[in-house]
Amino acid sequence: QVQLVESGGGLVQTGGSLRLSCVASGSIFSMYAMGWYRQSPGKQRELVAVVVTGGTTTYADSVKGRFTISTDNAKKEVHLQMNNLKPEDTAVYYCAANPYFGTQSFPYWGQGTQVTVSS
């Protein structure tokens, strides 16, 4: 079983920055992939950024150039540096983790952290 705990959300003005962190614990030695998703009211959960063992990253088009995902696989941590935030970035951000090499889905999720960007 894997537990994910997120931190770093909050309220920020347009153009500001936040750094989200997620720490995984449990009986897993390392992670194959970790990532961040977000969900706004009335919308489906969407991918923000994912990093796979080896360093391959994927970003949503809407955050490219503004957000950076990083990971410490040994510590089972993933971070999301969010710069130049916009009101449309307002959402609950969820950490996701996949310890199973070569698989595509994320079986483990955090509880979410609220990010609110004021205009």
Side-chain angles (χ1 to χ4, degrees):
Q1 192 69 14
V2 175
Q3 296 80 42
L4 303 176
V5 178
E6 302 117 329
S7 62
L11 173 64
V12 65
Q13 292 184 334
T14 296
S17 298
L18 285 174
R19 179 179 170 85
L20 304 183
S21 295
C22 174
V23 179
S25 62
S27 56
I28 297 293
F29 179 71
S30 64
M31 292 296 175
Y32 169 63
M34 297 188 78
W36 292 93
Y37 285 69
R38 67 186 181 188
Q39 188 168 19
S40 305
K43 295 185 178 181
Q44 290 188 333
R45 188 174 298 188
E46 63 176 0
L47 178 147
V48 177
V50 170
V51 58
V52 178
T53 297
T56 301
T57 56
T58 301
Y59 292 93
D61 288 342
S62 60
V63 307
K64 285 180 180 177
R66 301 188 297 122
F67 291 10
T68 303
I69 190 170
S70 61
T71 186
D72 184 331
N73 197 38
K75 295 183 179 179
K76 295 180 286 187
E77 297 179 359
V78 64
H79 308 280
L80 185 68
Q81 179 65 43
M82 306 186 293
N83 298 329
N84 191 20
L85 283 160
K86 304 175 181 180
E88 51 264 42
D89 295 318
T90 295
V92 178
Y93 284 70
Y94 296 91
C95 175
N98 175 14
Y100 308 117
F101 183 85
T103 61
Q104 299 299 316
S105 64
F106 285 98
Y108 299 107
W109 293 84
Q111 292 299 306
T113 185
Q114 177 70 46
V115 171
T116 303
V117 184
S118 63
S119 57

